[in-house]
């Protein structure tokens, strides 16, 4: 019997991600994540696949989340991270089976790890309190006599973390697998990250910033460190974000991903190559006016972690590129040849490359396909589906097929997006249309599966979602086009999309338009209802309403405002001009405000200001607060509250549309 998408479909859809190829290239592991309805949480388990026979075996079970699987160099073991007691620790499984062995029992657990190629030790990072050894337990805080939190820096809190412990640092250590002895490798009151290791095991790449105060420092230098002598060589130390280091098979070249600070956080990601012989670095993708990496937004894939770049044995490279609404696998040579290696109209959200470069394992999604694991022949384009975890759901559920559109905005800019008909569409009927606006703003809607969009279509709405200026995946000029001018060209792009839809799709009822979005999409929803009365209902989520207060209350406010608005507290006129709160008196659209109470990115006071202001003016407004949740409620939030959020959205539109 055919059914339509419901909010409870979240419990049926499974996320297949993070394929890791074994050294023998005859087998692989991957992670399957699903929502555990009974426990109201997420379970992520390790699976093994024999690539020749196609046989799939589940390797871990229970109410837990496994992450970061890595094969040992000899292919006999797989290490992974999982929280089985209080802290996340390192475990190792023998590929022939048996119980996973707990390798670490560190008081603060393990944050990340890398196998040493010798197979006898594993490099790890763990959080350490100032003055303590990595293996020493901290004194338990007395909850009866809580301590005050003294703030002396501007970077003192973070979304999904809370207040930062100022005297804690991430240190690198080596764990001897035979004895389980932990030997600290780094020292000093600075946080260190593990970025990569050479195939001969002699060189680590670490990230560390040794500035005393990093409030206005936006770089983490990468260093090559000799494992024996600890001698450091700078790999890169410019402003921006760099990481995901991979050594070529011959250890001559080091590839890494990153973006400099030219356009602040709107700068395109690129692939960089360091030659250890000539000691020179080149930006391999300089001629590509697209961002390297996966900037797609969706709500199904869980715990996705794809490599920044992967080498072949011939010193060619593969990496992801966000382009025109796709996330594609790209191929490059050191000489500068560069072209897409996977098809259009899909989202490659995970990959593993065979050494010869002719074959890959891919996890792939599209607008009507949540994602599975595929074996992909890069030379012929043929692919074989290896997993069918979502087959039952797909066979039973009627979905709406997103149709790609492009149109011209008011100033001649071409904007790309999608429109979905209601899932039970009947020719000749009229239907309401809901406009969705993504966050970021430097992300993109993509050719990927979106439960929320399908749910709205199942409820009888058309759905329009577009990539206005500020979105990734087009050009550097396009993604930079919103900075300093939120609510201008981006607003025009969205409204031009509405006009395009009304002109070209006669099934849309112009008198029943709705709009919703989160984060930047929440800002834009607030802005829209303050600047037009065309929408009959709106739902704003985790939004910004007041740039002046956002500057001081957001975990990133003091620099994000300067980067994005090109204004700080010395120019409150500009901050206020771009604040939706300024235009509250104009709002005539019934507005529902949804916000998480632990959102430190766009703190809940942004919602509180907007709600009280609109309510005091006698406007039609609702406000729903979600306890225990942060900025990522819609994607990774507590499952029952994700359902409540969807119910609130659909209920509001049902009431007013």
């Amino acid at each position: 019997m055919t059914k339509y998408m419901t909010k409870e479909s979240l419990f049926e859809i499974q996320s297949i991600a993070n394929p890791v190829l074994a050294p023998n290239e005859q087998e692989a592991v991957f992670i399957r994540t699903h929502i555990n309805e009974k426990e109201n949480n997420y379970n992520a388990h390790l699976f093994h696949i024999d690539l020749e026979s196609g046989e799939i075996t589940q390797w871990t079970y229970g109410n837990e989340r496994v992450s970061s699987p890595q094969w040992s160099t000899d292919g006999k073991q797989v290490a992974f991270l999982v929280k089985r007691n209080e802290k996340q620790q390192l475990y190792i499984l023998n590929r022939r089976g048996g119980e996973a062995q707990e390798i670490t029992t560190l008081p603060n657990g393990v944050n990340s790890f890398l196998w040493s190629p010798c197979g006898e030790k594993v490099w790890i990072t763990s959080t350490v309190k100032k003055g303590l050894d990595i293996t020493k337990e901290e004194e338990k805080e007395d909850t009866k006599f809580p301590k005050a939190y003294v703030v002396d820096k501007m970077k003192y809190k973070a979304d999904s973390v809370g207040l930062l412990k100022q005297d804690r640092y991430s240190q690198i250590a080596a764990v001897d697998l035979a004895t389980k002895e932990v030997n600290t490798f780094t020292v000093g009151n600075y946080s260190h990250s593990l970025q990569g290791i050479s195939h001969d095991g002699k060189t680590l790449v670490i990230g560390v910033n040794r500035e005393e105060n990093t409030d206005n420092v936006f770089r983490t230098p990468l260093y090559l460190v000799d494992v024996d002598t600890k001698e450091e060589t700078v790999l890169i130390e410019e402003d921006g974000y760099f990481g995901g280091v991979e050594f070529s098979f011959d250890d001559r070249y080091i590839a890494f991903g990153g973006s400099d600070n030219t356009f602040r956080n709107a700068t395109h990601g690129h692939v960089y190559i360091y030659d250890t012989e000539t000691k020179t670095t080149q930006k391999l993708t300089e001629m590509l006016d697209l961002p390297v990496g996966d900037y797609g937004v969706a709500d199904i894939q869980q715990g996705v972690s794809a490599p920044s770049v992967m080498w072949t044995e011939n010193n060619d490279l593969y990496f992801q590129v966000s382009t025109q609404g796709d996330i594609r696998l790209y191929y490059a040579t050191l000489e500068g040849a560069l072209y897409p290696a996977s098809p259009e109209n899909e989202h490659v959200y995970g990959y593993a490359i065979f050494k010869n470069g002719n074959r890959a394992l891919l996890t792939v999604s599209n607008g009507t396909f949540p994602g599975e694991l595929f074996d992909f022949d890069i030379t012929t384009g043929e692919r074989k589906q290896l997993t069918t975890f979502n087959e039952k759901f797909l066979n039973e559920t009627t979905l709406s097929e997103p149709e790609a559109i492009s149109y011209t905005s008011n100033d001649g800019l071409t904007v790309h997006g999608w429109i979905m008909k209601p899932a039970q569409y009947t020719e000749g009927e009229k239907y309401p249309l809901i406009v969705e606006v993504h966050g970021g703003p430097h992300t993109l809607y993509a050719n990927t599966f979106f439960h929320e969009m399908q749910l709205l279509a199942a409820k009888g709405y058309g759905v329009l979602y577009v990539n206005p200026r500020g979105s990734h995946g087009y050009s550097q000029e396009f993604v930079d086009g919103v900075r300093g001018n939120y609510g201008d060209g981006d607003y025009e792009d969205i409204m031009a999309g509405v006009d395009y839809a009304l002109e070209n799709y006669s099934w849309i009822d112009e008198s029943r338009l709705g709009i919703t979005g989160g984060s930047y999409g929440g800002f834009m929803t607030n802005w829209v209802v303050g600047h037009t009365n065309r929408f009959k209902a709106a739902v704003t989520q985790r939004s910004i309403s007041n740039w002046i207060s956002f500057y001081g209350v957001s975990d990133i406010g003091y620099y994000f405002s300067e980067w994005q608005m090109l204004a700080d507290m010395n120019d409150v006129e500009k901050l206020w001009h771009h604040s939706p709160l300024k235009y509250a008196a104009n709002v005539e659209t019934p507005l529902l405000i949804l916000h998480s109470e632990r959102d430190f990115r766009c703190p809940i006071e942004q919602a509180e200001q907007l709600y009280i202001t609109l309510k005091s003016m006698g406007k039609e407004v609702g406000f729903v607060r979600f306890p225990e949740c942060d900025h990522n409620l819609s994607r990774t939030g507590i499952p029952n509250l994700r359902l409540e959020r969807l119910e609130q959205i659909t209920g509001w539109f049902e009431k007013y549309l």
Side-chain angles (χ1 to χ4, degrees):
M1 187 181 75
T2 294
K3 61 181 183 181
Y4 294 92
M5 187 75 86
T6 65
K7 62 183 190 296
E8 289 83 9
S9 299
L10 275 177
F11 298 130
E12 297 176 64
I13 301 167
Q14 302 176 52
S15 168
I16 313 306
N18 306 352
V20 188
L21 196 57
N24 65 13
E25 301 193 326
Q26 293 166 14
E27 56 191 322
V29 291
F30 61 90
I31 289 178
R32 182 202 70 178
T33 307
H34 68 278
I35 296 176
N36 184 331
E37 188 176 1
K38 188 177 163 195
E39 297 291 338
N40 199 29
N41 63 8
Y42 300 82
N43 291 163
H45 294 127
L46 189 64
F47 280 71
H48 172 272
I49 181 165
D50 182 307
L51 295 175
E52 202 166 309
S53 68
E55 187 183 351
I56 294 170
T57 311
Q58 185 169 344
W59 270 6
T60 65
Y61 295 85
N63 183 26
E64 62 186 28
R65 292 191 80 164
V66 167
S67 67
S68 313
Q70 291 180 33
W71 290 88
S72 59
T73 312
D74 63 8
K76 292 180 179 176
Q77 295 172 304
V78 174
F80 57 89
L81 298 176
V82 68
K83 189 176 174 180
R84 287 188 172 165
N85 296 306
E86 267 189 39
K87 300 290 181 181
Q88 177 175 266
Q89 305 288 357
L90 177 72
Y91 286 76
I92 288 181
L93 252 176
N94 191 304
R95 68 162 302 284
R96 294 189 182 278
E99 278 290 307
Q101 185 186 5
E102 187 177 44
I103 302 300
T104 60
T105 51
L106 294 173
N108 290 315
V110 174
N111 304 325
S112 66
F113 73 94
L114 284 173
W115 275 99
S116 173
C118 68
E120 293 167 7
K121 64 182 177 185
V122 176
W123 295 96
I124 61 151
T125 61
S126 181
T127 305
V128 186
K129 185 175 181 179
K130 184 178 179 179
L132 282 187
D133 179 78
I134 204 167
T135 59
K136 291 288 185 291
E137 193 98 37
E138 293 179 31
E139 278 183 40
K140 289 271 190 292
E141 283 187 21
D142 188 343
T143 51
K144 191 177 179 183
F145 297 95
K147 288 181 180 174
Y149 181 88
V150 179
V151 179
D152 65 350
K153 292 185 172 72
M154 289 193 285
K155 285 182 187 170
Y156 71 91
K157 60 181 180 177
D159 188 59
S160 82
V161 177
L163 294 175
L164 301 176
K165 293 187 174 178
Q166 305 279 22
D167 57 351
R168 306 300 197 280
Y169 306 97
S170 178
Q171 301 289 6
I172 297 170
V175 184
D176 184 296
L177 295 182
T179 64
K180 297 188 183 176
E181 189 182 341
V182 180
N183 296 300
T184 305
F185 185 74
T186 56
V187 293
N189 299 326
Y190 315 104
S191 280
H192 302 76
S193 62
L194 271 174
Q195 293 290 339
I197 190 165
S198 59
H199 292 276
D200 64 11
K202 293 177 181 176
T203 307
L204 275 180
V205 180
I206 70 166
V208 59
N209 190 315
R210 297 191 175 103
E211 299 269 354
E212 289 306 315
N213 186 335
T214 60
D215 279 345
N216 288 298
V217 177
F218 300 99
R219 68 177 174 276
T220 301
L222 301 184
Y223 297 95
L224 302 171
V225 184
D226 185 295
V227 167
D228 294 326
T229 67
K230 296 193 181 180
E231 186 185 339
E232 294 181 356
T233 306
V234 172
L235 179 59
I236 192 162
E237 57 178 352
E238 63 180 281
D239 286 355
Y241 300 93
F242 303 92
V245 170
E246 293 290 342
F247 282 77
S248 60
F249 283 93
D250 60 8
D251 279 339
R252 175 174 171 178
Y253 300 102
I254 300 170
F256 55 97
S259 53
D260 63 34
N261 223 18
T262 308
F263 301 94
R264 302 299 186 180
N265 61 329
T267 312
H268 274 172
H270 284 283
V271 172
Y272 293 79
I273 306 291
Y274 176 78
D275 186 334
T276 61
E277 289 186 11
T278 64
K279 307 285 191 288
T280 54
T281 302
Q282 65 162 319
K283 191 192 285 187
L284 188 70
T285 54
E286 190 156 20
M287 302 311 290
L288 183 70
D289 194 13
L290 290 166
V292 170
D294 178 356
Y295 292 91
V297 289
D299 57 3
I300 288 303
Q301 282 97 37
Q302 292 289 334
V304 171
S305 174
S308 292
V309 58
M310 286 193 80
W311 289 95
T312 72
E313 57 195 359
N314 301 318
N315 285 348
D316 297 329
L317 302 108
Y318 284 93
F319 44 86
Q320 294 160 299
V321 172
S322 297
T323 165
Q324 303 282 324
D326 293 327
I327 318 300
R328 299 177 73 179
L329 188 67
Y330 262 62
Y331 165 85
T333 68
L334 290 175
E335 291 71 44
L338 189 66
Y339 51 84
S342 70
E344 294 180 303
N345 302 318
E346 63 184 28
H347 178 192
V348 175
Y349 60 91
Y351 70 102
I353 305 294
F354 287 72
K355 287 194 276 280
N356 66 10
N358 296 331
R359 188 177 165 201
L361 296 180
L362 305 178
T363 47
V364 182
S365 173
N366 63 40
T368 54
F369 186 75
E372 298 283 1
L373 180 66
F374 291 84
D375 192 332
F376 179 52
D377 187 319
I378 296 170
T379 53
T380 66
E382 291 175 34
R383 63 170 69 178
K384 181 170 78 173
Q385 186 172 331
L386 299 175
T387 62
T388 54
F389 289 98
N390 290 302
E391 187 173 49
K392 183 174 183 288
F393 162 77
L394 288 171
N395 286 341
E396 294 175 350
T397 312
T398 298
L399 299 171
S400 177
E401 178 93 47
E403 178 190 336
I405 60 170
S406 68
Y407 57 91
T408 305
S409 190
N410 290 10
D411 59 359
L413 194 72
T414 299
V415 180
H416 173 233
W418 294 263
I419 193 163
M420 294 166 67
K421 286 179 178 172
Q424 302 181 56
Y425 173 81
T426 306
E427 194 73 45
E429 294 283 318
K430 288 275 192 180
Y431 296 93
L433 180 76
I434 293 173
V435 179
E436 287 260 9
V437 188
H438 67 63
H442 309 312
T443 56
L444 74 149
Y445 281 134
N447 283 302
T448 195
F449 193 86
F450 223 123
H451 169 262
E452 182 176 325
M453 310 293 193
Q454 292 289 350
L455 176 65
L456 291 171
K459 291 276 187 183
Y461 303 104
V463 186
L464 173 70
Y465 53 108
V466 304
N467 287 327
R469 70 193 70 194
S471 303
H472 260 311
Y474 300 92
S475 68
Q476 183 64 78
E477 185 182 4
F478 191 91
V479 73
D480 192 49
V482 73
R483 288 174 65 230
N485 213 7
Y486 277 38
D488 186 19
D490 48 353
Y491 168 74
E492 298 293 346
D493 294 346
I494 291 163
M495 297 312 293
V498 174
D499 293 336
Y500 174 89
L502 291 171
E503 283 167 25
N504 289 278
Y505 298 92
S506 57
W507 51 264
I508 300 171
D509 182 346
E510 189 172 359
S511 69
R512 290 190 290 161
L513 300 178
I515 187 167
T516 186
S519 198
Y520 165 79
F523 159 86
M524 187 48 71
T525 300
N526 297 341
W527 186 266
V528 164
V529 297
H531 287 78
T532 179
N533 295 327
R534 290 179 68 180
F535 293 93
K536 291 295 170 282
V539 182
T540 183
Q541 308 167 53
R542 57 184 187 277
S543 72
I544 294 174
S545 66
N546 181 353
W547 284 105
I548 297 173
S549 64
F550 178 85
Y551 188 90
V553 296
S554 167
D555 63 342
I556 61 171
Y558 72 92
Y559 60 87
F560 187 85
S561 301
E562 292 179 37
W563 290 2
Q564 289 294 311
M565 301 314 301
L566 308 185
D568 60 16
M569 295 301 279
N570 294 308
D571 191 359
V572 290
E573 289 79 12
K574 182 170 187 182
L575 294 178
W576 185 237
H577 173 74
H578 291 282
S579 295
L581 196 63
K582 178 182 178 181
Y583 309 97
N586 302 340
V587 175
E588 292 178 20
T589 307
L591 179 68
L592 176 64
I593 302 168
L594 306 182
H595 220 106
S596 295
E597 293 187 345
R598 287 191 184 172
D599 190 336
F600 281 25
R601 185 59 37 92
C602 297
I604 197 165
E605 64 87 41
Q606 294 285 308
E608 291 166 341
Q609 290 189 67
L610 186 61
Y611 172 72
I612 292 297
T613 300
L614 292 173
K615 198 77 174 166
S616 71
M617 292 175 170
K619 309 291 186 181
E620 191 71 32
V621 60
F623 184 22
V624 181
R625 303 167 68 106
F626 294 89
E628 310 294 317
C629 291
D630 60 25
H631 196 62
N632 290 302
L633 167 64
S634 65
R635 301 176 283 263
T636 59
I638 299 167
N640 77 297
L641 292 178
R642 285 182 69 181
L643 264 59
E644 172 71 17
R645 170 188 166 271
L646 292 166
E647 201 165 282
Q648 291 290 343
I649 293 168
T650 53
W652 191 260
F653 285 132
E654 215 169 284
K655 182 177 178 182
Y656 290 100
L657 295 186

